[in-house]
Amino acid sequence: MSENIEKVECLIIGSGPAGYTAAIYAARADMKPVLYEGMQPGGQLTITTDVENYPGYPDGIMGPEMMENFKKQAVRLGTDVRFGMVTKVDFSKGAPHTVWVDDKHQIEAESVIISTGASAKWLGIESETRLNGSGVSACAVCDGFFYRGMDVAIVGAGDTAAEEASYLSKICNKVYMIVRRDEMRASKAMQHRVMNTPNIEILFNSETDEVLGDMEVEGVRIVNNQTQEKSELAVKGFFVAIGHTPNTAIFKDFIDMDDQGYIITKPDTAKTNVEGVFACGDAQDKIYRQAVTAAGTGCMAALDAERYLSAKGHS
Ligand code: NDP
């Protein structure tokens, strides 16, 4: 099993706005960054449509195109971007830290920047799992197309659910929003948008009892949590938009995290509890979770890593 162990000065794990911004700064600082893209190259923005709130794009930009631009900029400045998934780490013995890619390729990294982002949460009911990919989806932008002209339902009441409902309303005949409380968490602007879209119907105080169908989604049974009354919606698509979980499980034996798995960074820095390991983006941010804040913390992580390496005489 022994193969050459690669030595890397700055290893970046993850390819969203945080990872690529860290790469841009690290490359310009001559840290020869190697970036592993992970399972979803480009991160969550690759499953978004219009991004209207990233400064510098007065007419907005499509998420995938923006991430392609991030990547091009990082590569042009000298980042070694690789397709692969970091599957295991050992941060127990101090720098250089050991990292395994795809369970085999071993790297000794003088500094590590974690920018692994977050993934969609699921309701956790049996029918949702069974029909995943057969009408159940956590990405309206990826899968909405399949339900053109049909009726669909979406669970959730945050900005993601509202944004996706709005997107689906343009493709589908009718969109039911299943909201568990009597109000929505989404911003006022997004609430206003969905409430004023004629083919979106918001079902408050409603929870999903079961997704109906054997081989594919044929409907959803919901229950009103005030009256316990059950009813069925005849929908072909069932979208789940109830938030995210940070992709940090592989670090949990070494890195301090909160009870939800978000990495804890030292105040005003991107430093973790382990020397030479830095974290940025959604893996450590449960409050803002924006592309622009992720990019900002990516910059912080690279600057902190650069100072750390210089202090150790590396750069
Ligand atoms: P949020 O955590 O903000 O919202 C999750 C929603 O899902 C809540 O309404 C929650 O209900 C509901 N929910 C959670 N668990 C369940 C469950 N088991 N059953 C039913 N409903 C459930 O996540 P989002 O992904 O919407 O947003 C994350 C962050 O990203 C937010 O800060 C948001 O503002 C931001 N964002 C910004 C956008 C933009 O600016 N363009 C676009 C998208 C997201 P409850 O309210 O009852 O807790």
Side-chain angles (χ1 to χ4, degrees), residues 44 48 50-53 121-124 155-163 178-187 190 206-208 240-244 282 286-290:
Q44 294 177 76
T48 304
D50 279 328
V51 179
E52 293 186 331
N53 51 10
K121 277 187 190 162
W122 296 96
L123 294 172
V155 186
D159 280 320
T160 304
E163 207 172 64
I178 305 171
V179 174
R180 66 179 173 182
R181 289 187 292 133
D182 60 358
E183 59 177 3
M184 293 178 65
R185 183 183 293 272
S187 61
M190 283 313 295
S206 297
E207 292 179 35
T208 307
V240 181
I242 60 168
H244 293 83
D282 287 12
K286 63 177 169 195
I287 299 171
Y288 302 104
R289 296 187 279 200
Q290 300 300 300

Side-chain angles (χ1 to χ4, degrees), residues 219-256:
V220 54
R221 185 164 58 238
I222 57 170
V223 55
N224 182 303
N225 56 26
Q226 303 298 300
T227 62
Q228 308 312 319
E229 196 181 314
K230 291 188 179 177
S231 55
E232 289 184 8
L233 308 170
V235 293
K236 294 284 185 201
F238 180 74
F239 293 89
V240 181
I242 60 168
H244 293 83
T245 310
N247 300 320
T248 56
I250 58 167
F251 311 112
K252 73 174 185 327
D253 292 341
F254 310 101
I255 300 284
D256 288 346

Side-chain angles (χ1 to χ4, degrees), residues 5-79:
I5 298 174
E6 185 182 6
K7 299 214 179 305
V8 167
E9 203 166 321
C10 177
L11 182 77
I12 301 172
I13 312 175
S15 57
Y20 278 132
T21 304
I24 289 163
Y25 274 77
R28 294 191 80 237
D30 211 15
M31 290 154 71
K32 302 169 198 67
V34 171
L35 180 150
Y36 278 94
E37 291 184 303
M39 219 144 60
Q40 188 179 34
Q44 294 177 76
L45 277 169
T46 56
I47 53 169
T48 304
T49 46
D50 279 328
V51 179
E52 293 186 331
N53 51 10
Y54 199 91
Y57 295 99
D59 301 319
I61 182 165
M62 299 300 275
E65 188 187 347
M66 184 162 101
M67 291 324 299
E68 205 41 50
N69 288 345
F70 269 80
K71 180 174 177 175
K72 277 188 202 150
Q73 191 172 353
V75 168
R76 183 177 70 80
L77 292 166
T79 308

